[in-house]
Amino acid sequence: MLDDDGIRTLLSDARTIALVGASDRPDRASWGVMAFLQRQGYRVIPVNPQITGEHLHGEFVFRDLSQIGEPIDIVDIFRNSAAAGDAVDQAIAAGAKAVWLQLGVVNADAAARAEAAGLKVVMDRCPKIEIPRLGVAAVG
């Protein structure tokens, strides 16, 4: 798993983030994090089978990662710890460069699978907190 320097580099180099567990409800953390990441200049692609085909913050919502069909730098996972494993496996299959498990999402087995497949892993952290804490400049 990445340390602060690794997280800073990951966030600085990334351009496209797929957000698994995106919500259309403004009271949900994933809704606010997606908007924050967009304001930082990232392209954020929402993934949620329950609202597939809708638009969220101006982006089409996909059913799963396999539908996206373009390179993904980071898969940001807003699922519970048990369900995160499936999202990690999808990220590996989709050729993502990294997986980011949100605050409170801990799945050591899934993290190990991702690392074994060559993906960078961040676990139990939030980019909305890490970007200002680490002084990551807006993507542009």
Side-chain angles (χ1 to χ4, degrees):
M1 274 174 282
L2 297 179
D3 60 9
D4 282 355
D5 287 337
I7 293 170
R8 185 180 297 109
T9 299
L10 175 65
L11 289 167
S12 296
D13 292 347
R15 295 292 175 268
T16 303
I17 299 173
L19 199 147
V20 175
S23 178
D24 57 355
R25 293 175 33 203
D27 62 320
R28 301 297 298 257
S30 63
W31 190 91
V33 169
M34 182 175 173
F36 172 82
L37 291 170
Q38 287 179 318
R39 287 192 304 273
Q40 300 307 303
Y42 297 99
R43 164 118 192 264
V44 185
I45 302 169
V47 178
N48 184 330
Q50 295 177 0
I51 55 172
T52 300
E54 295 182 23
H55 285 79
L56 185 57
H57 299 297
E59 291 282 347
F60 182 86
V61 180
F62 289 90
R63 178 178 28 94
D64 58 44
L65 294 173
S66 69
Q67 289 188 310
I68 294 174
E70 62 184 88
I72 302 167
D73 295 313
I74 301 171
V75 174
D76 188 1
I77 301 171
F78 274 92
R79 301 289 316 276
N80 66 45
S81 296
D86 180 54
V88 167
D89 293 338
Q90 285 187 38
I92 294 166
K97 296 177 185 171
V99 291
W100 187 299
L101 283 69
Q102 276 292 332
L103 284 174
V105 182
V106 176
N107 187 321
D109 290 339
R113 287 196 307 275
E115 287 177 337
L119 281 71
K120 295 176 178 147
V121 177
V122 179
M123 187 162 51
D124 195 22
R125 294 184 185 229
C126 179
K128 187 176 177 184
I129 295 169
E130 299 302 317
I131 288 170
R133 183 180 76 80
L134 297 172
V136 176
V139 174

